[in-house]
Amino acid sequence: MSAPRSAAPGRRGRVLRLYAPLGLYLLFTIVPFYWMLVFALTPAGSTAPVPWPVTFDHFATVWNGLGYAVFFRNSVIVGVWSLAVTTVLAVMGGYALARYRFRGRTLFMVVLLCTQFIPGAMMLIPLFTIFKSLHLINSLGSLIVADTVFNLPLSIILMSGFVSAVPFSVEEAAMVDGCTRPRAFLAVVLPQLRPGLIAVGSFAFIHTWNNFLFALMFVSRQDSFTIPVGLSYTIGEYSADFGALAAGGVVAALPVVCVFAVVQRYLVRGISAGAVKG
C-alpha cells in the first residue's frame, strides 16, 4: 500500500515540471495581447488595467475613419488567392517529388530547402524590376505572385511528405480497376491529403496575411494597402494613436486566431505526417 503513496509525489513533480514552464510561457504570450485589448476597449488617455468603461470608438475609427475596411478586404483577397495558388502548385510539385524518380531530384529538394535561407529583402529589387515591366506595381497581383513564390518551396517539401505517407499500392489498385493516373490521384490520394492541404493552406494564408515587406514596397496607393501596412500608418511622425493602433492590431490578429482555432488539430497531424515521411 506504500507504493502508490510514494508514487504520487513523483507524479505531482512531473506534472509541475511540465505545466509550470508552459504556464509561464502562456503568461508571457497572453500579457501583450491583453494590454492590446485593454487599449482597444478603453477611452483614449485611460491607463486602467481593466477595460472599463468599455468603448468601441477606436474600432469605429480604424474601420471607417482610417479605411481598415478596405485594408481588410485587400488582405483577404491576397491571402485567399495566395492560399489557393500555393496549395494547388504544392500538391502538383509534392506529388511529382514523392512518386517519380528522376535525375536531379535530390539536388532539386536541396535547392528548395536552401531558398528558405534567403531573406525576402534580398529579392526586393529583382522583384520590383520584374513587376514594373509587367505593370503589376500598385496592384494586388504583385503581392499574390510574390507571396506565392515565397510560400511554394516549403509547401512543396511538406506536401511531398504527405503524398509519401499514402501507399502507392492504393493508387495502383485504382489504376488496375480502370482509373487513369490523374483520376486515381483525385479519387484515392487527394482525399487522404486533407490534413496536409489544411496545413499547407493555413501556413500560406498566415504568412501572406502577416507579410509587411512586400506590401510596403510593391504598393503605394492607399486603396491597395493591406492590414500590416495600414497598421504602420496609425503611427505619426511625432505622435501615435495607441487606441487606434491597438484596435487595428485586434482586427489584424482576429482572422489568424480563428484560423488556428479551427485547423489546429489538422496542423499537428499534418506536420507530423510530413516530418517522418519522404
Side-chain angles (χ1 to χ4, degrees), residues 42-54:
T42 52
S46 175
T47 57
V50 178
W52 188 263
V54 175

Side-chain angles (χ1 to χ4, degrees), residues 14-15 33 46 54 77 80 117 123 154 159 181 187 189 200 224:
R14 287 194 298 270
V15 171
F33 286 98
S46 175
V54 175
I77 292 174
V80 170
F117 300 103
M123 304 301 295
L154 180 61
M159 191 57 68
R181 188 152 197 166
V189 179
V200 168
S224 298

Side-chain angles (χ1 to χ4, degrees), residues 66-228:
L66 300 180
Y68 266 60
V70 176
F71 305 156
F72 190 89
R73 181 199 65 192
N74 293 337
S75 290
V76 170
I77 292 174
V78 175
V80 170
W81 270 102
S82 180
L83 179 155
V85 177
T86 299
T87 304
V88 172
L89 295 180
V91 169
M92 297 168 63
Y95 182 85
L97 288 177
R99 291 291 192 252
Y100 294 97
R101 296 295 181 266
F102 53 89
R103 181 176 299 177
R105 174 179 176 271
T106 303
L107 178 61
F108 180 71
M109 295 193 69
V110 171
V111 171
L112 287 180
L113 285 173
C114 290
T115 59
Q116 301 305 297
F117 300 103
I118 302 176
M122 291 182 60
M123 304 301 295
L124 286 179
I125 295 177
L127 286 175
F128 189 90
T129 304
I130 294 172
F131 292 150
K132 185 178 180 180
S133 64
L134 296 175
H135 305 288
L136 289 177
I137 298 297
N138 283 326
S139 72
L140 298 181
S142 61
L143 304 183
I144 295 171
V145 172
D147 288 320
T148 300
V149 168
F150 274 81
N151 288 332
L152 264 180
L154 180 61
S155 300
I156 290 175
I157 293 171
L158 291 176
M159 191 57 68
S160 67
F162 303 141
V163 175
S164 298
V166 180
F168 184 61
S169 58
V170 178
E171 195 174 348
E172 285 182 322
M175 289 188 286
V176 169
D177 290 339
C179 291
T180 61
R181 188 152 197 166
R183 176 61 181 170
F185 170 77
L186 294 175
V188 177
V189 179
L190 191 61
Q192 300 185 55
L193 297 180
R194 185 173 64 172
L197 294 173
I198 294 175
V200 168
S202 300
F203 286 135
F205 178 82
I206 292 169
H207 175 268
T208 302
W209 183 272
N210 293 328
N211 195 304
F212 171 76
L213 185 62
F214 292 159
L216 179 67
M217 298 304 298
F218 300 147
V219 174
S220 59
R221 291 204 318 256
Q222 187 170 355
D223 59 351
S224 298
F225 285 169
T226 57
I227 283 285

